[in-house]
Amino acid sequence: MLRKSWMMAKTEIRMVFKNKQVKGIPVFIIAMSVGFSIIFAWLGSISLFAIGPELEEFQMFYSLFMPAMMGIFITAIPVMLPVMIAADSIIGEKERRTIIPLLATPLTDAELLFGKMLTAMIPGIIVAYASFGLSVALVNGMMYFWAPSLIWIWPSLLATIQTLVMPILFSALAVGIMVIISSRVGKVYEAYQWGGSIIMPAMLVAFSLMLEGTGIDWIIFGFVTLILLVAVIGLFRLALNLFNRDKLITRL
Amino acid sequence: MDVPIEIKNLTKTFGDIVAVREVDLGVHRGEVFGFLGPNAAGKSTTVKVASTLLAPTHGTVEINGYDVLEEPEEVRAVIGLLPEDGADTHYDRLTAAENLEYFGRLYDVPKEKLENRIEELLEFLELADRRDNSPGTFSTGLKQKLSLARALVHDPPVVFLDEPTSNLDPIMSRKVRAFIQQMAEGSKQTYFMCTHLLSEAEHLCDRVGFISHGRLVEVGRPAELRRKFWTQRTFELQLAATGLTKAQSIIKSTGLVLSVQIENKRVVYVVEKAEQKNPEIVRALVEAGLAVVELRERIPSLEDVYLKVIGGDS
Ligand SMILES: Nc1ncnc2c1ncn2[C@@H]1O[C@H](COP(=O)(O)OP(=O)(O)OP(=O)(O)O)[C@@H](O)[C@H]1O
Ligand SMILES: [Mg+2]
């Protein structure tokens, strides 16, 4: 099953990046994340020289400020990509009618959905990781010259784990949503609107990041991850149950 | 007998619309079956149900012994489909060859075999020089040819073609028809095709089925259907010299024909049981000293059959 889904995803990812609407998104996400991480790192550290209180207090301030500010760039913004890809590869295929011959191939429903999931997930993960990695390198590189006492305070272990886990869950969530709406929605722009609903759980994760250092951050993170995981599994199973060639085709 | 397409009591409704109504039909291995009928008769719907894209409302369809509802993956593995308006179902973000390759791999065609097959199809359909272009840049006919290649890329035993030669030029249409005939020969492949081109069905199809308002109204070989609907046959008679009116009155006086008249310097008569009556008519003419040069039957075309069955001429 994996082999076919993987083959499908490879071809589809190639196509995704020929789509003008989607093509620029990775650059946008990376630029936003990197740009703002530097701005926040600078803002968070500039007062170190301006006021000059105890170093420990500063490190404390910086360790709370950075995750709070960066949360949205680590979680919510990168989610755009999987949502757009999922919309394009599910609703877009329906809109362009290319889904008809695809549905006539011996792919099972699970293979098809899993392939679509990989299509949204892989670029989503690569871009999220790349923007996080670049931000981390640039922020800490800057601190090396600027404020060595603040090196490696950000990102925390928690922020790192969150960054690694979230794109996976959100890509899956995006595909689940698209499949579920696919029998009723026929236009990509409508699908984007539905895809926007994913911003809610993403905000929840961003919010949980703001609580970093309060002691309950790990608990919240664990809780949010668990909820997301359950949602993703539930949604995928629901999608698999709802996925129906007849309903998809009937409206074509 | 081996029946790779078996439709039993199939009904498909869309809300209040009954698109296909209690259709029973079996297509034999190696047969080219033509599905004919007016717009909205239910042809494409039947094809979609048989290719597992739509679920039957009632009844069953079995392809190579697999049920479309119970074993859809097995069904899909043994069929090739050229869908209705197949011309615009290609990935414009891939090249023509990549489109075929993608589908070949989804059908599990081994890599080397697939490469050969793609080249063969592109060559045959005269698409080879456009293989690296996006189908988005193709004319409608080129897209249609690519759809045909895609339906055949995995060399399926059962092929559904929904109006395969629409948009094809006459030479390419003929080529495709010859190809289909060749593939069906020796029972390698079974074809089920919807078409509005009656001459195409007449030359290509072993059997045809007429569907109207969702009901299968007639099935048979084109010649059989002709015989069934034309117990009265029409003959044209040409004479060496003048004497048309004389011939007309002689034929009339035999009392064997239903009608006789002169058209375009020929005597045209309608007769039942021609096998017995024609010799007598000719003898009467010869005995009257008339020289019969040619006696030819006016064979009704499949189009005439169609008009009679579907009732377009009423
Ligand atoms: N998805 C659908 N939803 C609602 N009604 C449909 C749908 N598809 C087909 N129909 C209806 O079912 C009937 C049969 O349609 P079908 O496409 O099978 O006709 P057809 O014989 O292929 O006609 P044509 O020669 O025009 O292609 C028509 O009345 C059509 O409007
Ligand atoms: Mg049709």
Side-chain angles (χ1 to χ4, degrees):
Chain A
M1 161 178 159
L2 268 171
R3 187 180 55 85
K4 282 256 183 88
S5 303
W6 175 235
M7 197 280 289
M8 200 183 133
K10 271 198 301 191
T11 310
E12 288 212 6
I13 289 168
R14 218 152 38 99
M15 288 193 267
V16 161
F17 288 100
K18 287 185 183 159
N19 175 359
K20 287 187 201 78
Q21 274 169 311
V22 177
K23 214 151 93 178
I25 302 291
V27 180
F28 173 75
I29 291 172
I30 293 172
M32 287 275 279
S33 157
V34 169
F36 277 97
S37 69
I38 289 176
I39 293 170
F40 290 138
W42 180 70
L43 283 176
S45 57
I46 190 165
S47 41
L48 181 65
F49 302 100
I51 323 167
E54 294 298 313
L55 181 64
E56 266 163 47
E57 279 176 33
F58 243 108
Q59 288 176 331
M60 182 65 159
F61 169 72
Y62 180 76
S63 75
L64 295 176
F65 179 75
M66 278 303 279
M69 292 294 125
M70 289 304 294
I72 193 151
F73 294 97
I74 288 172
T75 54
I77 304 273
V79 165
M80 281 172 67
L81 187 61
V83 168
M84 291 189 79
I85 295 176
D88 187 64
S89 102
I90 297 168
I91 313 293
E93 272 224 44
K94 184 181 165 186
E95 192 177 348
R96 295 186 290 271
R97 299 180 75 247
T98 53
I99 197 121
I100 298 172
L102 189 66
L103 292 179
T105 66
L107 284 172
T108 62
D109 294 356
E111 279 171 337
L112 192 86
L113 295 198
F114 196 61
K116 296 283 180 194
M117 197 158 120
L118 290 176
T119 304
M121 194 184 279
I122 293 166
I125 287 173
I126 291 174
V127 169
Y129 289 7
S131 70
F132 182 70
L134 267 173
S135 302
V136 168
L138 284 170
V139 164
N140 289 293
M142 184 176 102
M143 290 307 164
Y144 178 80
F145 297 106
W146 168 254
S149 53
L150 295 184
I151 289 179
W152 292 125
I153 288 182
W154 181 80
S156 64
L157 179 62
L158 179 62
T160 310
I161 293 177
Q162 238 162 359
T163 310
L164 298 182
V165 172
M166 289 305 151
I168 301 176
L169 293 177
F170 276 108
S171 310
L173 207 57
V175 171
I177 290 173
M178 290 306 154
V179 170
I180 288 166
I181 65 170
S182 65
S183 62
R184 277 188 278 141
V185 171
K187 296 268 179 285
V188 175
Y189 69 84
E190 284 176 69
Y192 285 161
Q193 290 163 6
W194 281 90
S197 62
I198 212 169
I199 213 74
M200 309 264 269
M203 286 313 231
L204 198 66
V205 177
F207 178 70
S208 81
L209 267 178
M210 288 184 189
L211 298 174
E212 243 195 271
T214 57
I216 58 164
D217 47 0
W218 282 93
I219 297 169
I220 300 266
F221 170 68
F223 192 62
V224 168
T225 311
L226 198 71
I227 290 177
L228 272 176
L229 197 65
V230 170
V232 165
I233 294 171
L235 217 60
F236 196 77
R237 293 188 58 170
L238 182 67
L240 206 54
N241 280 330
L242 289 182
F243 183 76
N244 183 321
R245 283 157 215 258
D246 186 291
K247 287 214 184 91
L248 256 175
I249 293 287
T250 296
R251 309 241 163 179
L252 283 179
Chain B
M1 190 175 270
D2 193 3
V3 185
I5 304 173
E6 183 135 52
I7 301 172
K8 282 188 191 147
N9 194 28
L10 177 67
T11 296
K12 175 69 185 176
T13 59
F14 299 102
D16 294 338
I17 301 171
V18 186
V20 178
R21 205 184 287 260
E22 296 161 12
V23 166
D24 279 292
L25 177 65
V27 178
H28 306 143
R29 178 126 4 238
E31 200 168 33
V32 179
F33 187 86
F35 212 34
L36 315 174
N39 294 127
K43 303 181 295 295
S44 298
T45 304
T46 305
V47 165
K48 284 176 193 161
V49 172
S51 53
T52 80
L53 296 180
L54 291 176
T57 309
H58 295 294
T60 58
V61 180
E62 283 183 13
I63 307 294
N64 258 9
Y66 300 116
D67 186 278
V68 291
L69 272 185
E70 306 297 325
E71 299 147 303
E73 281 98 34
E74 284 81 357
V75 169
R76 291 196 289 267
V78 296
I79 63 168
L81 170 68
L82 186 154
E84 185 169 39
D85 299 324
D88 47 54
T89 55
H90 300 293
Y91 293 107
D92 290 347
R93 296 172 196 159
L94 298 177
T95 67
E98 283 169 346
N99 265 282
L100 296 181
E101 192 191 330
Y102 182 43
F103 278 89
R105 294 178 67 184
L106 288 173
Y107 282 103
D108 273 325
V109 182
K111 202 170 163 75
E112 209 159 288
K113 195 172 158 200
L114 178 60
E115 278 169 19
N116 294 334
R117 180 79 179 151
I118 291 173
E119 288 322 309
E120 198 181 288
L121 284 167
L122 289 175
E123 202 61 50
F124 174 77
L125 292 165
E126 295 167 18
L127 279 173
D129 57 331
R130 302 295 290 267
R131 67 191 307 285
D132 296 322
N133 293 126
S134 155
T137 68
F138 282 10
S139 73
T140 319
L142 295 185
K143 288 182 194 171
Q144 181 76 13
K145 289 198 274 181
L146 189 60
S147 311
L148 188 63
R150 185 184 58 203
L152 299 172
V153 73
H154 51 300
D155 212 355
V158 178
V159 188
F160 290 95
L161 306 173
D162 201 339
E163 301 184 30
T165 55
S166 63
N167 299 313
L168 297 189
D169 66 54
I171 295 174
M172 191 36 78
S173 300
R174 175 181 277 201
K175 203 167 162 180
V176 166
R177 283 197 288 271
F179 176 79
I180 291 173
Q181 219 146 27
Q182 189 190 324
M183 292 309 290
E185 229 157 72
S187 300
K188 277 208 305 223
Q189 283 181 322
T190 304
Y191 283 86
F192 185 101
M193 54 188 281
C194 307
T195 180
H196 288 294
L197 304 174
L198 294 157
S199 66
E200 173 168 293
E202 173 136 41
H203 293 120
L204 181 58
C205 297
D206 300 306
R207 280 194 309 153
V208 295
F210 292 95
I211 184 171
S212 176
H213 299 291
R215 282 189 199 283
L216 189 66
V217 280
E218 281 298 333
V219 182
R221 298 181 174 279
E224 257 169 37
L225 292 176
R226 262 197 289 275
R227 232 171 292 140
K228 176 167 175 183
F229 287 96
W230 274 269
T231 50
Q232 304 175 355
R233 295 162 69 183
T234 306
F235 292 90
E236 283 181 11
L237 194 93
Q238 202 183 344
L239 300 170
T242 48
L244 281 174
T245 34
K246 188 177 171 195
Q248 186 186 14
S249 54
I250 291 171
I251 293 174
K252 198 176 231 164
S253 65
T254 60
L256 297 169
V257 301
L258 297 164
S259 75
V260 54
Q261 61 207 59
I262 297 168
E263 281 174 27
N264 289 330
K265 296 187 179 159
R266 275 151 206 240
V267 183
V268 178
Y269 64 86
V270 179
V271 67
E272 269 179 345
K273 300 205 174 93
E275 310 74 45
Q276 296 153 31
K277 291 179 182 166
N278 269 352
E280 286 183 43
I281 292 169
V282 174
R283 192 179 314 127
L285 290 169
V286 172
E287 278 168 6
L290 290 165
V292 176
V293 173
E294 189 180 297
L295 179 63
R296 189 164 56 173
E297 182 171 8
R298 269 195 194 165
I299 297 176
S301 66
L302 194 60
E303 188 168 336
D304 297 321
V305 180
Y306 180 92
L307 293 174
K308 205 148 190 172
V309 172
I310 303 297
D313 58 350
S314 63

